[in-house]
Structures are given as C-alpha cells and as structure tokens.
Amino acid sequence: MTLLACVLAPLSAAHAQGSLSDSYSGSELVDSGKQFFGSASQGLASVVERAVSQFGLPNGYVLGEDAGGALFAGARYGEGVLYTRNAGEYNLYWQGPSIGFDVGGDGSKVMMLVYSLNQIQDVLGRFAGVDGSAYIVGGFGMTVIKRGNVVIVPIRSGVGARLGINVGYLKFTAEPTWNPF
C-alpha cells in the first residue's frame, strides 16, 4: 500500500499542476497589462485591484482589441488571445449585440480576467451582462459578464465618444464571424 502511495503521489502532483486552476497574481496581471496597454496603463492597476478584490485571482486572461458602436441598438466585435498557466494560449474572437440607452462608438484595447475556467471550451459561448459607458476621449472601464460558473471581467481602455447603458451579451468563438447573434 505504501509503495502504491509513493508511485501515485508524483502523478497526482503532476495532474494538479496541469489543471486550469492555477491563478495569476494581481502584480502579474498589472505587469502584463502595462506591457499591452503601454502609455495608457496608468489607471490599470486600480481597476485590476478592484476586480481581484471582488472576484479573487483569475485562472486565465485575454489580451485583445475590440470595437463597438450603438444608436440605441449596437454591436461589438473583437479578437484576442486567451492565456492560461498550463493549457497555453488560445485565439479567441467575440461579438455581440446590445440594446439600451446607448449612443456612440469606441475602439478599445481589452484585458479580460477569466474566473472559474475548468477547460478552454468553457469560455466559448454567450456571456450576458450590463455595460455602461461615459467618455469622450478615453479611459479605463470594467464590466462583468457571466455564464454558469465562469465569470469574465473585461477591462477596456478605449478612445471614442460613447454615452449610455445597455444590456447585451458577448459570444466567444474559436473562429471570427460577422454575425453578432
């Protein structure tokens, strides 16, 4: 019995290291975000700190770009790379409709913190949420979208002119598409 335990212990340790439960620290996220956002990263640390204090440490994150526009009804399209500790990198695309009291357009660099990701496929599908925007030139903003146990917190730094609040969803896919539904 002891021999069996000695043989299985390294296997279970290796399996635990291979899971997507390994999380990223707040400082790792801020460092990665600073490299990605460049000179626009001054407000990033406080937004990441707020997300980590509310939701804990994510076990994945996405770096990408998106653009959206609305005149009461709108759409958003984006693409990026999902980073995980042990499953590597995964190209990801998102698109989605929105409706609400929302007018304007924006283009953004996006960092999305991903929580409770058990496997890469858990991020594919529709994630609903509420989004609010109020800016003329730019700034950082954070929203929260959820499906099942998986929570995604998009942090955007964008330029454009947008004002309003809307309800909608983002659909994450492995391939790009123009269909926001």
Coordinates of all heavy atoms in Angstrom, one line a residue, residues 75-179:
A75 N -23.6 46.8 -31.6 CA -22.8 45.6 -31.7 C -21.4 45.9 -31.3 O -20.9 47.0 -31.4 CB -22.9 45.1 -33.1
R76 N -20.7 44.8 -30.9 CA -19.3 44.9 -30.5 C -18.6 43.6 -31.1 O -19.2 42.5 -31.1 CB -19.1 44.8 -29.0 CG -17.7 44.9 -28.6 CD -17.6 45.2 -27.1 NE -18.0 46.5 -26.7 CZ -17.4 47.6 -26.9 NH1 -16.2 47.6 -27.5 NH2 -17.9 48.8 -26.5
Y77 N -17.4 43.9 -31.7 CA -16.6 42.8 -32.3 C -15.2 42.9 -31.7 O -14.7 44.0 -31.6 CB -16.6 42.9 -33.8 CG -17.9 42.8 -34.4 CD1 -18.7 43.9 -34.7 CD2 -18.3 41.5 -34.8 CE1 -20.0 43.7 -35.3 CE2 -19.6 41.4 -35.4 CZ -20.4 42.5 -35.6 OH -21.6 42.3 -36.2
G78 N -14.6 41.7 -31.5 CA -13.2 41.8 -31.0 C -12.4 40.5 -31.2 O -13.0 39.5 -31.6
E79 N -11.2 40.5 -31.0 CA -10.3 39.4 -31.1 C -9.1 39.5 -30.1 O -8.7 40.6 -29.8 CB -9.8 39.1 -32.5 CG -8.9 40.2 -33.0 CD -8.4 39.9 -34.5 OE1 -9.2 40.3 -35.4 OE2 -7.4 39.3 -34.6
G80 N -8.6 38.4 -29.7 CA -7.5 38.4 -28.7 C -7.0 37.0 -28.5 O -7.4 36.0 -29.2
V81 N -6.2 36.9 -27.5 CA -5.5 35.6 -27.1 C -5.8 35.3 -25.7 O -5.6 36.2 -24.8 CB -4.0 35.6 -27.4 CG1 -3.4 34.4 -26.9 CG2 -3.7 35.9 -28.8
L82 N -6.4 34.1 -25.4 CA -6.6 33.7 -24.0 C -5.3 33.0 -23.5 O -4.8 32.1 -24.2 CB -7.7 32.7 -24.0 CG -8.0 31.9 -22.7 CD1 -8.4 32.9 -21.5 CD2 -9.0 30.8 -22.9
Y83 N -4.8 33.5 -22.4 CA -3.6 32.9 -21.7 C -4.0 32.2 -20.5 O -4.8 32.7 -19.7 CB -2.7 34.1 -21.3 CG -2.1 34.8 -22.5 CD1 -2.8 36.0 -23.0 CD2 -1.0 34.4 -23.1 CE1 -2.3 36.7 -24.0 CE2 -0.5 35.2 -24.2 CZ -1.1 36.3 -24.7 OH -0.7 37.0 -25.7
T84 N -3.5 30.9 -20.4 CA -3.7 30.1 -19.2 C -2.3 29.6 -18.8 O -1.4 29.5 -19.6 CB -4.7 28.9 -19.4 OG1 -4.1 28.1 -20.4 CG2 -6.0 29.4 -19.9
R85 N -2.2 29.3 -17.5 CA -0.9 28.8 -17.0 C -0.5 27.5 -17.7 O 0.7 27.4 -18.0 CB -1.0 28.5 -15.5 CG -1.0 29.8 -14.7 CD 0.4 30.0 -14.1 NE 0.3 31.1 -13.2 CZ 1.1 32.1 -13.2 NH1 2.0 32.2 -14.2 NH2 1.0 33.1 -12.4
N86 N -1.4 26.5 -17.8 CA -1.0 25.2 -18.2 C -1.6 24.7 -19.5 O -1.1 23.8 -20.1 CB -1.3 24.2 -17.1 CG -0.6 24.5 -15.9 OD1 0.6 24.7 -15.9 ND2 -1.3 24.6 -14.8
A87 N -2.6 25.4 -20.0 CA -3.2 25.0 -21.3 C -2.7 25.8 -22.4 O -3.1 25.6 -23.6 CB -4.7 25.1 -21.2
G88 N -1.8 26.8 -22.1 CA -1.2 27.6 -23.2 C -2.1 28.7 -23.6 O -2.9 29.2 -22.9
E89 N -1.8 29.1 -24.9 CA -2.5 30.3 -25.5 C -3.6 29.7 -26.5 O -3.4 28.7 -27.1 CB -1.5 31.1 -26.2 CG -0.4 31.7 -25.3 CD 0.6 32.4 -26.1 OE1 0.5 32.6 -27.3 OE2 1.6 32.8 -25.4
Y90 N -4.7 30.5 -26.6 CA -5.8 30.1 -27.4 C -6.3 31.4 -28.1 O -6.7 32.3 -27.4 CB -6.8 29.5 -26.5 CG -8.0 28.9 -27.3 CD1 -7.9 27.6 -27.9 CD2 -9.2 29.6 -27.3 CE1 -9.0 27.1 -28.6 CE2 -10.3 29.0 -28.0 CZ -10.2 27.8 -28.6 OH -11.3 27.3 -29.2
N91 N -6.4 31.4 -29.4 CA -7.0 32.5 -30.2 C -8.5 32.6 -29.9 O -9.2 31.5 -29.9 CB -6.7 32.4 -31.7 CG -5.3 32.7 -32.0 OD1 -4.6 33.4 -31.3 ND2 -4.8 32.1 -33.0
L92 N -9.0 33.7 -29.6 CA -10.4 33.9 -29.2 C -11.0 35.1 -30.0 O -10.3 36.1 -30.2 CB -10.4 34.1 -27.7 CG -11.7 33.9 -27.0 CD1 -12.2 32.5 -27.1 CD2 -11.5 34.2 -25.5
Y93 N -12.3 35.0 -30.4 CA -13.0 36.0 -31.1 C -14.3 36.3 -30.3 O -14.8 35.3 -29.7 CB -13.3 35.6 -32.5 CG -12.0 35.3 -33.3 CD1 -11.5 34.0 -33.3 CD2 -11.4 36.3 -34.0 CE1 -10.3 33.8 -33.9 CE2 -10.2 36.0 -34.7 CZ -9.7 34.8 -34.6 OH -8.5 34.5 -35.3
W94 N -14.8 37.5 -30.3 CA -16.1 37.8 -29.6 C -16.8 38.8 -30.4 O -16.3 39.6 -31.2 CB -15.9 38.2 -28.2 CG -15.0 39.4 -28.0 CD1 -15.4 40.7 -27.9 CD2 -13.6 39.5 -27.8 NE1 -14.4 41.6 -27.7 CE2 -13.3 40.8 -27.6 CE3 -12.6 38.5 -27.7 CZ2 -11.9 41.2 -27.4 CZ3 -11.3 38.9 -27.5 CH2 -11.0 40.2 -27.3
Q95 N -18.1 38.7 -30.3 CA -19.1 39.5 -31.0 C -20.4 39.5 -30.2 O -20.6 38.5 -29.5 CB -19.3 39.2 -32.5 CG -19.7 37.7 -32.7 CD -18.6 36.7 -32.6 OE1 -17.5 37.0 -33.0 NE2 -18.9 35.6 -32.1
G96 N -21.1 40.5 -30.3 CA -22.4 40.5 -29.6 C -23.2 41.8 -29.8 O -22.7 42.8 -30.0
P97 N -24.5 41.6 -29.7 CA -25.5 42.7 -29.8 C -25.7 43.4 -28.4 O -25.5 42.8 -27.4 CB -26.7 42.0 -30.3 CG -26.7 40.7 -29.7 CD -25.3 40.3 -29.6
S98 N -26.3 44.6 -28.5 CA -26.7 45.2 -27.2 C -27.9 46.1 -27.6 O -28.1 46.5 -28.7 CB -25.6 46.1 -26.6 OG -25.2 47.1 -27.5
I99 N -28.6 46.4 -26.5 CA -29.8 47.3 -26.7 C -29.9 48.1 -25.4 O -29.6 47.6 -24.3 CB -31.1 46.5 -27.0 CG1 -32.2 47.5 -27.3 CG2 -31.5 45.6 -25.8 CD1 -33.4 46.9 -28.0
G100 N -30.3 49.4 -25.5 CA -30.4 50.2 -24.3 C -30.3 51.7 -24.7 O -30.4 52.1 -25.9
F101 N -30.1 52.5 -23.7 CA -29.9 54.0 -23.9 C -28.4 54.2 -24.1 O -27.7 54.6 -23.2 CB -30.5 54.7 -22.7 CG -31.9 54.5 -22.5 CD1 -32.4 53.7 -21.5 CD2 -32.8 55.1 -23.3 CE1 -33.8 53.5 -21.3 CE2 -34.2 54.9 -23.2 CZ -34.7 54.1 -22.2
D102 N -28.0 54.0 -25.3 CA -26.6 54.0 -25.6 C -26.3 54.5 -27.0 O -26.9 54.1 -28.0 CB -26.1 52.5 -25.6 CG -24.6 52.4 -25.7 OD1 -23.9 53.4 -25.5 OD2 -24.1 51.2 -25.9
V103 N -25.5 55.6 -27.1 CA -25.2 56.2 -28.4 C -23.7 56.5 -28.5 O -23.0 56.9 -27.5 CB -25.9 57.6 -28.5 CG1 -25.5 58.3 -29.7 CG2 -27.4 57.4 -28.4
G104 N -23.1 56.2 -29.6 CA -21.7 56.5 -29.9 C -20.9 55.3 -30.4 O -21.5 54.3 -30.7
G105 N -19.6 55.4 -30.4 CA -18.7 54.4 -30.9 C -17.4 54.4 -30.2 O -17.0 55.5 -29.6
D106 N -16.7 53.3 -30.1 CA -15.4 53.2 -29.4 C -14.6 52.1 -30.0 O -15.1 51.2 -30.6 CB -15.6 53.1 -27.9 CG -16.3 51.8 -27.6 OD1 -17.2 51.3 -28.3 OD2 -15.9 51.2 -26.6
G107 N -13.3 52.3 -29.8 CA -12.3 51.2 -30.1 C -11.5 51.1 -28.9 O -11.1 52.0 -28.3
S108 N -11.2 49.8 -28.5 CA -10.6 49.6 -27.2 C -9.5 48.5 -27.3 O -9.6 47.6 -28.0 CB -11.6 49.1 -26.2 OG -12.6 50.0 -26.1
K109 N -8.5 48.7 -26.4 CA -7.6 47.5 -26.1 C -8.3 46.9 -24.9 O -8.8 47.6 -24.0 CB -6.2 48.0 -25.7 CG -5.4 48.4 -27.0 CD -4.0 48.5 -26.6 CE -3.2 48.5 -27.9 NZ -1.7 48.3 -27.7
V110 N -8.3 45.6 -24.8 CA -9.1 44.9 -23.8 C -8.2 43.9 -23.1 O -7.5 43.1 -23.7 CB -10.3 44.2 -24.4 CG1 -11.1 43.5 -23.3 CG2 -11.1 45.1 -25.2
M111 N -8.3 43.9 -21.7 CA -7.8 42.8 -20.9 C -9.0 42.2 -20.2 O -9.7 42.9 -19.6 CB -6.8 43.3 -19.9 CG -6.3 42.2 -18.9 SD -5.2 42.9 -17.7 CE -3.8 41.9 -17.9
M112 N -9.2 40.9 -20.4 CA -10.4 40.2 -19.8 C -9.8 39.2 -18.8 O -9.1 38.3 -19.1 CB -11.2 39.5 -20.8 CG -11.9 40.4 -21.8 SD -12.9 39.4 -22.9 CE -13.4 40.6 -24.1
L113 N -10.2 39.4 -17.5 CA -9.9 38.4 -16.5 C -10.9 37.3 -16.5 O -12.1 37.6 -16.5 CB -9.9 39.1 -15.1 CG -9.0 40.4 -15.0 CD1 -9.1 41.0 -13.6 CD2 -7.6 40.2 -15.5
V114 N -10.4 36.1 -16.5 CA -11.3 34.9 -16.6 C -11.3 34.1 -15.3 O -10.2 33.7 -14.9 CB -10.9 34.0 -17.8 CG1 -11.9 32.9 -18.0 CG2 -10.9 34.9 -19.1
Y115 N -12.4 33.9 -14.7 CA -12.5 33.1 -13.4 C -13.3 31.8 -13.6 O -14.2 31.7 -14.4 CB -13.3 34.0 -12.4 CG -12.6 35.3 -12.1 CD1 -12.8 36.4 -12.8 CD2 -11.7 35.3 -11.0 CE1 -12.1 37.6 -12.5 CE2 -11.0 36.5 -10.7 CZ -11.2 37.6 -11.4 OH -10.6 38.8 -11.1
S116 N -12.9 30.8 -12.8 CA -13.5 29.5 -12.8 C -13.5 28.8 -14.1 O -14.4 28.1 -14.4 CB -15.0 29.6 -12.3 OG -15.0 30.3 -11.0
L117 N -12.4 28.9 -14.8 CA -12.3 28.2 -16.1 C -11.7 26.8 -15.9 O -10.6 26.7 -15.4 CB -11.3 29.0 -17.0 CG -11.2 28.6 -18.5 CD1 -12.5 28.7 -19.2 CD2 -10.1 29.5 -19.1
N118 N -12.5 25.8 -16.1 CA -12.1 24.4 -15.9 C -11.4 23.9 -17.2 O -10.5 23.0 -17.1 CB -13.2 23.5 -15.5 CG -13.8 23.9 -14.2 OD1 -13.0 24.2 -13.3 ND2 -15.1 23.9 -14.0
Q119 N -11.9 24.3 -18.3 CA -11.3 23.9 -19.6 C -11.5 25.0 -20.6 O -12.3 25.8 -20.4 CB -11.9 22.6 -20.1 CG -13.4 22.6 -20.3 CD -14.0 21.3 -20.7 OE1 -13.3 20.4 -20.9 NE2 -15.3 21.3 -20.8
I120 N -10.7 25.0 -21.6 CA -10.7 26.1 -22.6 C -12.1 26.3 -23.2 O -12.6 27.4 -23.4 CB -9.7 25.9 -23.7 CG1 -8.2 25.9 -23.2 CG2 -9.8 26.9 -24.9 CD1 -7.8 27.2 -22.7
Q121 N -12.8 25.2 -23.5 CA -14.1 25.2 -24.1 C -15.1 25.9 -23.2 O -16.2 26.4 -23.7 CB -14.6 23.8 -24.4 CG -13.9 23.2 -25.6 CD -12.4 22.8 -25.3 OE1 -12.1 22.5 -24.1 NE2 -11.6 22.8 -26.3
D122 N -14.9 26.1 -21.9 CA -15.8 26.8 -21.0 C -16.0 28.2 -21.4 O -17.0 28.9 -21.0 CB -15.4 26.7 -19.6 CG -15.5 25.3 -19.0 OD1 -16.2 24.4 -19.7 OD2 -15.0 25.0 -17.9
V123 N -15.0 28.8 -22.1 CA -15.1 30.2 -22.4 C -15.9 30.5 -23.7 O -16.3 31.6 -24.0 CB -13.7 30.9 -22.5 CG1 -13.0 30.5 -23.8 CG2 -13.7 32.4 -22.3
L124 N -16.1 29.4 -24.5 CA -16.8 29.5 -25.8 C -18.3 29.6 -25.5 O -18.9 28.7 -24.8 CB -16.5 28.4 -26.7 CG -15.0 28.3 -27.1 CD1 -14.8 27.1 -28.0 CD2 -14.5 29.6 -27.8
G125 N -19.0 30.5 -26.1 CA -20.5 30.7 -25.9 C -20.9 32.1 -25.5 O -20.0 33.0 -25.6
R126 N -22.1 32.3 -25.1 CA -22.7 33.6 -24.8 C -22.6 33.9 -23.3 O -22.9 33.1 -22.5 CB -24.1 33.7 -25.2 CG -24.3 33.6 -26.7 CD -25.8 33.7 -27.1 NE -26.0 33.8 -28.5 CZ -26.0 32.7 -29.3 NH1 -25.9 31.5 -28.8 NH2 -26.2 32.8 -30.6
F127 N -22.1 35.1 -23.0 CA -22.0 35.6 -21.7 C -22.7 36.9 -21.6 O -22.4 37.9 -22.3 CB -20.5 35.9 -21.3 CG -19.7 34.7 -21.1 CD1 -19.3 33.9 -22.2 CD2 -19.4 34.2 -19.8 CE1 -18.5 32.7 -22.0 CE2 -18.6 33.1 -19.6 CZ -18.2 32.3 -20.7
A128 N -23.8 37.0 -20.8 CA -24.6 38.1 -20.7 C -24.1 39.1 -19.6 O -23.4 38.7 -18.7 CB -26.0 37.7 -20.3
G129 N -24.5 40.4 -19.8 CA -24.1 41.4 -18.9 C -24.7 42.8 -19.2 O -25.4 43.0 -20.2
V130 N -24.4 43.7 -18.3 CA -24.9 45.1 -18.4 C -23.6 45.9 -18.6 O -22.6 45.7 -17.9 CB -25.7 45.6 -17.2 CG1 -26.0 47.0 -17.3 CG2 -26.9 44.7 -17.0
D131 N -23.6 46.9 -19.5 CA -22.5 47.7 -19.8 C -22.9 49.2 -19.7 O -23.9 49.6 -20.2 CB -21.9 47.4 -21.1 CG -20.5 48.1 -21.4 OD1 -19.9 48.5 -20.4 OD2 -20.1 48.2 -22.6
G132 N -22.0 50.0 -19.1 CA -22.3 51.4 -19.1 C -21.0 52.2 -19.5 O -19.9 51.8 -19.2
S133 N -21.2 53.2 -20.3 CA -20.1 54.0 -20.8 C -20.4 55.5 -20.7 O -21.5 55.9 -21.0 CB -19.8 53.7 -22.3 OG -19.5 52.3 -22.4
A134 N -19.4 56.2 -20.4 CA -19.5 57.7 -20.3 C -18.1 58.3 -20.5 O -17.4 58.5 -19.6 CB -20.1 58.2 -19.0
Y135 N -17.7 58.5 -21.8 CA -16.5 59.1 -22.1 C -16.5 59.8 -23.4 O -17.2 59.5 -24.3 CB -15.3 58.2 -21.9 CG -15.3 57.0 -22.8 CD1 -14.8 57.0 -24.1 CD2 -15.8 55.8 -22.4 CE1 -14.8 55.9 -24.9 CE2 -15.8 54.7 -23.2 CZ -15.3 54.7 -24.5 OH -15.3 53.6 -25.3
I136 N -15.6 60.8 -23.6 CA -15.5 61.5 -24.8 C -14.2 61.2 -25.5 O -14.1 61.0 -26.7 CB -15.6 63.0 -24.6 CG1 -17.0 63.3 -24.0 CG2 -15.3 63.8 -25.8 CD1 -17.7 64.5 -24.4
V137 N -13.1 61.0 -24.7 CA -11.8 60.7 -25.3 C -11.4 59.3 -25.0 O -11.1 58.5 -25.9 CB -10.7 61.8 -24.9 CG1 -9.4 61.4 -25.4 CG2 -11.1 63.1 -25.4
G138 N -11.3 59.0 -23.7 CA -10.9 57.6 -23.4 C -10.8 57.5 -21.9 O -11.2 58.3 -21.1
G139 N -10.3 56.3 -21.5 CA -10.2 56.0 -20.1 C -10.4 54.5 -19.9 O -10.5 53.7 -20.8
F140 N -10.3 54.0 -18.6 CA -10.4 52.6 -18.3 C -11.9 52.3 -17.8 O -12.4 53.1 -17.1 CB -9.5 52.1 -17.2 CG -8.1 51.8 -17.8 CD1 -7.1 52.7 -17.8 CD2 -7.9 50.5 -18.3 CE1 -5.9 52.4 -18.3 CE2 -6.6 50.2 -18.8 CZ -5.6 51.1 -18.8
G141 N -12.4 51.2 -18.2 CA -13.7 50.8 -17.7 C -13.7 49.3 -17.4 O -13.0 48.5 -18.1
M142 N -14.6 48.9 -16.5 CA -14.7 47.4 -16.2 C -16.1 47.0 -16.2 O -17.0 47.7 -15.7 CB -14.1 47.2 -14.8 CG -14.2 45.8 -14.2 SD -13.5 45.7 -12.6 CE -15.0 45.7 -11.6
T143 N -16.4 45.9 -16.8 CA -17.8 45.3 -16.7 C -17.6 43.9 -16.3 O -16.5 43.3 -16.2 CB -18.5 45.4 -18.1 OG1 -17.7 44.7 -19.0 CG2 -18.7 46.8 -18.5
V144 N -18.7 43.2 -16.0 CA -18.7 41.8 -15.6 C -19.8 41.1 -16.4 O -20.9 41.5 -16.5 CB -19.1 41.7 -14.1 CG1 -19.1 40.2 -13.7 CG2 -18.1 42.5 -13.2
I145 N -19.4 40.0 -17.0 CA -20.3 39.1 -17.8 C -20.1 37.7 -17.2 O -19.0 37.3 -16.7 CB -20.1 39.2 -19.3 CG1 -18.6 38.9 -19.7 CG2 -20.5 40.5 -19.8 CD1 -18.3 38.9 -21.1
K146 N -21.2 36.9 -17.3 CA -21.2 35.6 -16.6 C -22.0 34.6 -17.4 O -23.0 34.9 -18.0 CB -21.8 35.8 -15.2 CG -21.7 34.5 -14.4 CD -22.2 34.7 -13.0 CE -22.1 33.4 -12.3 NZ -22.7 33.3 -11.1
R147 N -21.6 33.3 -17.4 CA -22.3 32.2 -17.8 C -22.0 31.0 -17.0 O -20.8 30.6 -16.9 CB -22.0 31.9 -19.3 CG -23.0 30.8 -19.8 CD -22.7 30.3 -21.2 NE -21.5 29.4 -21.0 CZ -20.6 29.2 -22.0 NH1 -20.7 29.8 -23.1 NH2 -19.6 28.4 -21.8
G148 N -23.0 30.4 -16.3 CA -22.7 29.3 -15.4 C -21.8 29.8 -14.3 O -22.0 30.9 -13.7
N149 N -20.7 29.0 -14.0 CA -19.7 29.4 -13.0 C -18.6 30.3 -13.5 O -17.9 30.9 -12.8 CB -19.1 28.2 -12.4 CG -20.1 27.4 -11.6 OD1 -21.0 27.9 -11.0 ND2 -19.9 26.1 -11.5
V150 N -18.5 30.4 -14.9 CA -17.4 31.2 -15.5 C -17.8 32.7 -15.5 O -18.9 33.1 -16.0 CB -17.1 30.7 -16.9 CG1 -16.0 31.5 -17.5 CG2 -16.7 29.2 -16.9
V151 N -16.9 33.5 -14.9 CA -17.1 34.9 -14.9 C -15.9 35.6 -15.7 O -14.8 35.2 -15.6 CB -17.0 35.5 -13.4 CG1 -17.1 37.0 -13.4 CG2 -18.2 34.9 -12.6
I152 N -16.3 36.5 -16.6 CA -15.3 37.2 -17.3 C -15.4 38.7 -17.0 O -16.5 39.3 -17.0 CB -15.5 37.0 -18.8 CG1 -15.3 35.5 -19.1 CG2 -14.4 37.8 -19.6 CD1 -15.5 35.1 -20.6
V153 N -14.3 39.4 -16.7 CA -14.3 40.8 -16.4 C -13.5 41.5 -17.4 O -12.3 41.6 -17.4 CB -13.7 41.0 -15.0 CG1 -13.7 42.5 -14.6 CG2 -14.5 40.2 -13.9
P154 N -14.2 42.1 -18.5 CA -13.5 42.9 -19.5 C -13.1 44.2 -18.9 O -13.9 44.9 -18.3 CB -14.5 43.1 -20.6 CG -15.5 42.1 -20.3 CD -15.6 41.8 -18.9
I155 N -11.8 44.6 -19.0 CA -11.2 45.9 -18.7 C -10.8 46.5 -20.0 O -10.0 46.0 -20.7 CB -10.0 45.7 -17.7 CG1 -10.5 45.0 -16.4 CG2 -9.4 47.1 -17.4 CD1 -9.3 44.6 -15.5
R156 N -11.4 47.7 -20.3 CA -11.2 48.3 -21.6 C -10.5 49.7 -21.4 O -10.9 50.4 -20.5 CB -12.5 48.5 -22.3 CG -13.1 47.3 -22.8 CD -14.3 47.6 -23.7 NE -14.8 46.3 -24.3 CZ -15.7 45.6 -23.8 NH1 -16.3 45.9 -22.6 NH2 -16.1 44.5 -24.4
S157 N -9.6 50.0 -22.3 CA -9.0 51.3 -22.4 C -9.3 51.7 -23.8 O -8.7 51.1 -24.7 CB -7.5 51.3 -22.1 OG -7.0 52.6 -22.3
G158 N -10.1 52.7 -24.0 CA -10.5 53.0 -25.4 C -10.6 54.4 -25.7 O -10.4 55.3 -24.9
V159 N -10.8 54.7 -27.0 CA -11.0 56.0 -27.5 C -12.3 56.0 -28.3 O -12.7 55.0 -28.8 CB -9.8 56.5 -28.4 CG1 -8.5 56.6 -27.6 CG2 -9.6 55.6 -29.6
G160 N -12.9 57.2 -28.3 CA -14.1 57.3 -29.0 C -15.0 58.3 -28.2 O -14.6 58.9 -27.3
A161 N -16.3 58.3 -28.6 CA -17.3 59.0 -27.9 C -18.5 58.1 -27.6 O -19.1 57.6 -28.6 CB -17.7 60.2 -28.7
R162 N -18.8 57.9 -26.4 CA -19.9 56.9 -26.1 C -20.5 57.4 -24.8 O -19.9 57.8 -23.8 CB -19.3 55.5 -25.9 CG -20.4 54.5 -25.9 CD -20.1 53.4 -27.0 NE -21.2 52.5 -27.0 CZ -21.1 51.3 -27.4 NH1 -19.9 50.8 -27.8 NH2 -22.1 50.4 -27.4
L163 N -21.9 57.3 -24.7 CA -22.6 57.6 -23.5 C -23.8 56.7 -23.5 O -24.6 56.6 -24.4 CB -23.1 59.1 -23.6 CG -23.9 59.5 -22.4 CD1 -23.1 59.5 -21.1 CD2 -24.4 60.9 -22.7
G164 N -24.0 56.1 -22.3 CA -25.2 55.3 -22.1 C -25.0 54.0 -21.3 O -23.9 53.8 -20.8
I165 N -26.1 53.3 -21.3 CA -26.1 52.0 -20.6 C -26.9 51.0 -21.5 O -27.8 51.4 -22.1 CB -26.7 52.1 -19.2 CG1 -26.5 50.8 -18.4 CG2 -28.1 52.6 -19.2 CD1 -26.8 50.9 -16.9
N166 N -26.4 49.8 -21.5 CA -27.1 48.8 -22.4 C -27.0 47.4 -21.8 O -26.2 47.2 -20.8 CB -26.4 48.8 -23.8 CG -25.0 48.3 -23.8 OD1 -24.7 47.3 -23.3 ND2 -24.1 49.2 -24.3
V167 N -27.8 46.6 -22.3 CA -27.9 45.2 -21.9 C -27.6 44.4 -23.1 O -28.0 44.7 -24.2 CB -29.2 44.8 -21.3 CG1 -30.0 43.9 -22.0 CG2 -29.1 44.3 -19.9
G168 N -26.8 43.3 -23.0 CA -26.4 42.5 -24.1 C -25.6 41.3 -23.7 O -25.6 40.9 -22.6
Y169 N -24.9 40.7 -24.7 CA -24.1 39.6 -24.4 C -22.9 39.6 -25.4 O -22.9 40.3 -26.4 CB -24.8 38.3 -24.5 CG -25.4 37.9 -25.8 CD1 -24.6 37.4 -26.9 CD2 -26.7 38.1 -26.1 CE1 -25.1 37.0 -28.1 CE2 -27.3 37.7 -27.3 CZ -26.5 37.2 -28.3 OH -27.0 36.9 -29.5
L170 N -21.8 39.0 -25.0 CA -20.7 38.7 -25.9 C -20.7 37.2 -26.2 O -20.8 36.4 -25.2 CB -19.4 39.1 -25.3 CG -19.1 40.6 -25.2 CD1 -17.8 40.9 -24.6 CD2 -19.2 41.3 -26.6
K171 N -20.6 36.8 -27.4 CA -20.5 35.4 -27.8 C -19.0 35.2 -28.2 O -18.5 35.8 -29.1 CB -21.4 35.1 -29.0 CG -21.3 33.7 -29.5 CD -22.3 33.4 -30.6 CE -21.9 34.2 -31.9 NZ -22.6 33.9 -33.1
F172 N -18.3 34.3 -27.4 CA -16.9 34.0 -27.7 C -16.9 32.7 -28.6 O -17.6 31.8 -28.4 CB -16.2 33.7 -26.4 CG -16.1 34.9 -25.5 CD1 -17.1 35.3 -24.6 CD2 -15.0 35.7 -25.6 CE1 -16.9 36.4 -23.8 CE2 -14.8 36.9 -24.9 CZ -15.8 37.2 -24.0
T173 N -16.0 32.8 -29.7 CA -15.9 31.8 -30.6 C -14.5 31.5 -30.9 O -13.6 32.3 -30.7 CB -16.7 32.1 -32.0 OG1 -16.1 33.3 -32.5 CG2 -18.1 32.3 -31.7
A174 N -14.2 30.3 -31.5 CA -12.8 30.0 -32.0 C -12.5 30.5 -33.3 O -11.3 30.6 -33.7 CB -12.7 28.5 -32.0
E175 N -13.5 31.0 -34.1 CA -13.3 31.5 -35.4 C -14.0 32.8 -35.5 O -15.1 33.0 -34.9 CB -13.9 30.5 -36.5 CG -13.3 29.2 -36.5 CD -11.9 29.2 -37.0 OE1 -11.5 30.0 -37.9 OE2 -11.1 28.4 -36.5
P176 N -13.5 33.8 -36.3 CA -14.2 35.1 -36.5 C -15.5 34.9 -37.3 O -15.6 34.1 -38.1 CB -13.2 35.9 -37.2 CG -12.3 34.9 -37.9 CD -12.3 33.7 -37.1
T177 N -16.4 35.8 -36.9 CA -17.7 35.8 -37.6 C -18.3 37.2 -37.6 O -18.0 38.0 -36.6 CB -18.7 34.8 -37.1 OG1 -20.0 34.9 -37.8 CG2 -19.0 35.0 -35.6
W178 N -19.1 37.6 -38.6 CA -19.7 38.9 -38.5 C -21.1 38.9 -37.9 O -21.7 39.9 -37.6 CB -19.8 39.5 -40.0 CG -18.5 40.0 -40.5 CD1 -17.7 39.4 -41.4 CD2 -17.9 41.2 -40.1 NE1 -16.6 40.1 -41.5 CE2 -16.6 41.2 -40.8 CE3 -18.2 42.2 -39.2 CZ2 -15.7 42.3 -40.6 CZ3 -17.2 43.2 -39.1 CH2 -16.1 43.3 -39.8
N179 N -21.6 37.7 -37.7 CA -23.0 37.5 -37.1 C -22.9 37.8 -35.6 O -22.3 37.0 -34.9 CB -23.5 36.1 -37.4 CG -24.9 35.9 -36.8 OD1 -25.5 36.8 -36.2 ND2 -25.4 34.7 -37.1

